[in-house]
Amino acid sequence: MIVLDGKIASQSVKDSLKIQVAEIHAKGKRAPHLAVIIVGNNGASETYVASKVKNCAEIGFTSTLVRLENTIDENILLQKIDALNNDDGIDGILVQLPLPKQINEQKIIESIDPAKDVDGFHPISAGKLVQGLPTFIPATPYGIMLMLEHFNISTKGKHAVVIGRSNIVGRPMSILLSSNSKYGNCTVTICHSQTPNLKEICLQGDIIVAALGKPEFVKADMVKDGAVVIDVGITRVEDATAKKGFRIKGDVAYNEVAAKASAITPVPGGVGLMTIAGLLKNTLQAYRNRMLDVE
Ligand code: GUN
């Protein structure tokens, strides 16, 4: 059994990006610049955003963190995005989700200039992904593809079972795994909350991607011997014995499933780190696309 270590795979992506940024600097050009917007102070969002900013600095990107109050009017956020859309010095814009309930998330996603949509959530980006056109791939599915590539996990002809149909992970993941590409060419089944025979379908999976957000949902009796198991879950579960008062749990019961799997991602230290790698790659791509437009 191999542990698909996100630390190793993401470091390899970041090392390559660092070299590319150094080359950009050597030519006397400015660094790629990511703008991250956080609304309110959701604990998990704070952690993700801090990690995104830190990773930008590590590889030589510039980042700007925009903090807005939890109670702000939707228009304030739209104005901020408009300003960033029109700022030539900004290459990528990311609005951390979820947003407070007075704000229409879809409206916000659609207000981001598709050329700066490094999250890949805009319908234009999603539509391009479906049609196999070059675009920004949502960071988590992108990161998982980079993970498969790093560990050279063979996917061709395999049955991949994706649990979860979100626009952020499940749906784009199913498209990537079924695409005609080196780490695609899977036969894909998407399962969701209305799937009656989920256990039987999971048992057929050569590759399982668990992205439903239910701690330890995937148990050993749902997994075929030798399956590759990708755990996208990162839920905070209260635990008074933990220093922070909570523990991070994945969607997979790690110990029992690891005993059957041929490869598995740990939580933490797996897919979460790859999400950042995917985001950083998208940001460099946005920069390159835009610099070509500008030059
Ligand atoms: N919230 C959870 N995952 C994500 C993500 O990939 N991007 C953004 N913007 N918000 C998220």
Side-chain angles (χ1 to χ4, degrees):
M1 196 276 296
I2 61 165
V3 175
L4 302 173
D5 187 332
K7 218 170 170 177
I8 294 171
S10 68
Q11 194 57 54
S12 150
V13 173
K14 288 196 288 180
D15 287 346
S16 151
L17 291 171
K18 214 170 172 170
I19 292 167
Q20 294 179 65
V21 177
E23 285 167 2
I24 288 169
H25 277 301
K27 287 185 193 153
K29 293 187 176 162
R30 71 166 177 83
H33 190 165
L34 174 70
V36 180
I37 304 179
I38 181 166
V39 185
N41 51 7
N42 174 290
S45 291
E46 289 278 2
T47 308
Y48 301 148
V49 162
S51 179
K52 287 168 186 175
V53 168
K54 178 169 159 269
N55 276 274
C56 278
E58 256 176 55
I59 61 161
F61 286 4
T62 309
S63 69
T64 297
L65 178 58
V66 179
R67 286 185 168 280
L68 298 170
E69 291 286 323
N70 198 46
T71 52
I72 56 142
D73 193 76
E74 186 178 86
N75 281 325
I76 305 288
L77 180 53
L78 287 168
Q79 278 165 25
K80 190 68 221 173
I81 292 169
D82 189 49
L84 294 168
N85 280 341
N86 290 304
D87 183 340
D88 265 346
I90 298 286
D91 303 296
I93 303 169
L94 180 152
V95 180
Q96 188 64 31
L97 305 178
L99 290 168
K101 52 186 181 312
Q102 76 276 16
I103 296 175
N104 180 335
E105 233 165 62
Q106 190 61 25
K107 196 166 169 187
I108 297 305
I109 287 169
E110 292 184 23
S111 75
I112 295 171
D113 178 349
K116 300 187 179 187
D117 176 34
V118 288
D119 251 334
F121 295 166
H122 194 290
I124 288 182
S125 307
K128 285 185 176 173
L129 183 68
V130 170
Q131 297 201 350
L133 300 170
T135 187
F136 300 115
I137 303 167
T140 300
Y142 191 13
I144 293 169
M145 296 309 281
L146 294 170
M147 173 86 100
L148 296 174
E149 188 180 338
H150 181 88
F151 290 100
N152 198 19
I153 304 285
S154 144
T155 56
K156 187 174 162 186
K158 301 281 170 69
H159 183 188
V161 176
V162 177
I163 316 173
R165 54 181 161 185
S166 72
N167 288 340
I168 296 182
V169 186
R171 210 175 286 279
M173 193 73 243
S174 70
I175 291 159
L176 291 165
L177 287 171
S178 61
S179 70
N180 186 0
S181 62
K182 183 155 184 211
Y183 294 93
N185 284 314
C186 289
T187 302
V188 179
T189 304
I190 307 190
C191 299
H192 45 74
S193 56
Q194 306 303 308
T195 302
N197 49 344
L198 196 135
K199 180 177 165 186
E200 286 68 32
I201 294 171
C202 284
L203 276 166
Q204 295 170 25
D206 303 306
I207 298 169
I208 297 179
V209 180
L212 71 161
K214 286 196 176 163
E216 302 188 335
F217 178 86
V218 176
K219 303 278 198 285
D221 66 357
M222 297 165 71
V223 176
K224 167 160 99 171
D225 276 325
V228 173
V229 180
I230 310 289
D231 189 349
V232 184
I234 15 173
T235 307
R236 292 183 169 196
V237 177
E238 272 184 46
D239 182 344
T241 67
K243 227 198 273 170
K244 292 180 176 165
F246 64 85
R247 277 183 208 287
I248 302 289
K249 293 259 187 211
D251 287 352
V252 176
Y254 184 87
N255 288 336
E256 58 180 87
V257 171
K260 285 182 101 176
S262 63
I264 186 166
T265 61
V267 176
V271 170
L273 298 173
M274 298 313 294
T275 294
I276 303 223
L279 169 69
L280 297 173
K281 275 187 74 99
N282 278 342
T283 304
L284 181 60
Q285 191 58 53
Y287 170 87
R288 290 201 189 284
N289 297 347
R290 295 188 63 256
M291 290 309 253
L292 279 179
D293 279 352
V294 167
E295 279 166 356

